[in-house]
Amino acid sequence: MKGKIKMNLKERLEEIKQKGLEEIRHAQDVKTINDVRVNLLGKKGSITEVLRGMRDLSAEERPKVGSFANTIRDELTQAIAQKNEELEALKLAKRLESETLDVTLPASPVATGTPHVLVQVIDEIEKLFLGMGFQVVDGPEIEEDHYNFEMLNLPPDHPARDMQDTFYITNQLLMRTQTSPVQARTMEVHDFSKGPLKMISPGKVYRRDTDDATHSHQFHQVEGLVIDKNITMGDLKGTLELIAKTVFGQNREIRLRPSYFPFTEPSVEVDVSCFKCGGTGCSVCKGTGWIEVLGAGMVHPNVLKMAGVDPEIYGGFAFGLGPDRFAMLKYGVDDIREFYLNDVRFLQQFSQKG
Ligand code: PHE
């Protein structure tokens, strides 16, 4: 009887071992192998169960079966540990594969905008003047009548006020019609003992115009002003020529025609030789070979006086140009409203990304 039990236990252990090894071999993941371990070696596992049955063995047989059981337990424990290691390694390999990041792959494109074409024109002009030591000055768009007109030699009821139809907010406040008020504001505070005043001021201006292909109630200007001793019209002409060549091409020439602005004397209107036909006459220059691009002149003594600058010592020139008009001419845009509709298809044509 006892021998039979011993046989049975040994067979049973052998059987458990074979079955166990089989299960271990087939285990596909860490969870399964853990289940196998619990079923074999856990508190309620089959080996434990067999060991419990050893109570019924004789004192002589107990150690033999016991040591056999231990061997099998060790074998299974080792097989489980090995398989577990394999599966863990496999799991890690899979994870590495699925989470691998190829840093050499090209990034997905990010849609970015491009500076507005008017900003591009203004930037170009700013760059030119910064290079010549000018300062770039900002001014308010809601302006006082005092600076927009009076300080520019346009007292109330001056007929030249009609040249610029104005959006008034109150009697004294308006949407600035030009960037020239920034001249007056800057002259007033400039310390001439520290050197000449050289400034440009780009910005938005407003006029009560009905919008059409060549008029917009809001457009842009870049004001320029130089005040120093011994400034002549030659300095003005040289500066204007530089602007024309920078924006419209190195072969451009300019010509000055007499004109009138209340804040400059003499005043000139400036034409640039047609960049399309080179001066022979075409549709862009309306057959004249010249295109009017800006207004300018020598600063009126009254304007200097009002800003506290002595016209007997100091003088200078000023100009006002329109980036909208520049961009229309340069790129053949025939409707100023295009700049303000913000249709991306239009704006993307001026992408600087090449
Ligand atoms: N402010 C003038 C205008 O808007 C242009 C200008 C500026 C003319 C400076 C002369 C000097 O028409």
Side-chain angles (χ1 to χ4, degrees), residues 63-272:
K64 288 183 194 155
V65 177
S67 102
F68 185 62
N70 280 342
T71 317
I72 287 177
R73 194 179 52 197
D74 290 349
E75 260 180 71
L76 288 171
T77 305
Q78 209 193 330
I80 286 169
Q82 197 185 329
K83 184 71 178 187
N84 199 49
E85 220 169 274
E86 276 171 33
L87 289 173
E88 285 287 4
L90 201 70
K91 197 168 120 186
L92 180 66
K94 269 195 195 149
R95 204 172 130 198
L96 283 177
E97 198 182 331
S98 70
E99 289 178 12
T100 293
L101 202 63
D102 183 351
V103 292
T104 66
L105 281 176
S108 21
V110 179
T112 54
T114 189
H116 192 284
V117 56
L118 293 177
V119 173
Q120 292 181 34
V121 171
I122 292 169
D123 279 351
E124 195 176 20
I125 296 167
E126 276 188 17
K127 217 152 97 194
L128 170 69
F129 281 96
L130 283 170
M132 297 191 295
F134 281 57
Q135 48 173 322
V136 179
V137 187
D138 232 358
E141 285 173 33
I142 296 175
E143 184 54 283
E144 295 167 35
D145 184 280
H146 175 72
Y147 285 108
N148 195 81
F149 290 128
E150 283 174 48
M151 289 286 279
L152 295 167
N153 206 23
L154 278 144
D157 301 324
H158 192 289
R161 285 192 177 213
D162 291 349
M163 288 163 77
Q164 304 181 355
D165 256 342
T166 310
F167 287 118
Y168 275 94
I169 297 167
T170 68
N171 275 345
Q172 294 308 317
L173 275 185
L174 46 79
M175 301 302 290
R176 68 175 178 192
T177 56
Q178 49 188 351
T179 43
S180 304
V182 189
Q183 282 187 37
R185 285 178 172 277
T186 314
M187 251 187 278
E188 227 176 25
V189 296
H190 185 77
D191 181 355
F192 283 91
S193 71
K194 299 223 166 92
L197 168 57
K198 301 197 286 178
M199 59 150 272
I200 58 164
S201 181
K204 295 190 189 83
V205 299
Y206 303 82
R207 292 199 193 166
R208 276 182 56 191
D209 277 326
T210 304
D211 291 1
D212 62 22
T214 53
H215 294 86
S216 172
H217 61 280
Q218 179 223 280
F219 58 102
H220 293 75
Q221 285 191 338
V222 179
E223 194 77 14
L225 176 72
V226 171
I227 305 286
D228 197 2
K229 293 169 186 162
N230 307 316
I231 298 288
T232 69
M233 233 163 145
D235 299 309
L236 171 61
K237 193 170 181 201
T239 308
L240 296 173
E241 215 163 61
L242 207 60
I243 300 173
K245 287 182 192 296
T246 304
V247 179
F248 297 110
Q250 285 307 312
N251 295 327
R252 301 280 66 79
E253 284 169 37
I254 59 161
R255 74 175 183 189
L256 309 183
R257 281 180 293 110
S259 184
Y260 172 77
F261 298 104
F263 31 88
T264 47
E265 184 59 36
S267 301
V268 291
E269 218 122 33
V270 184
D271 297 342
V272 59

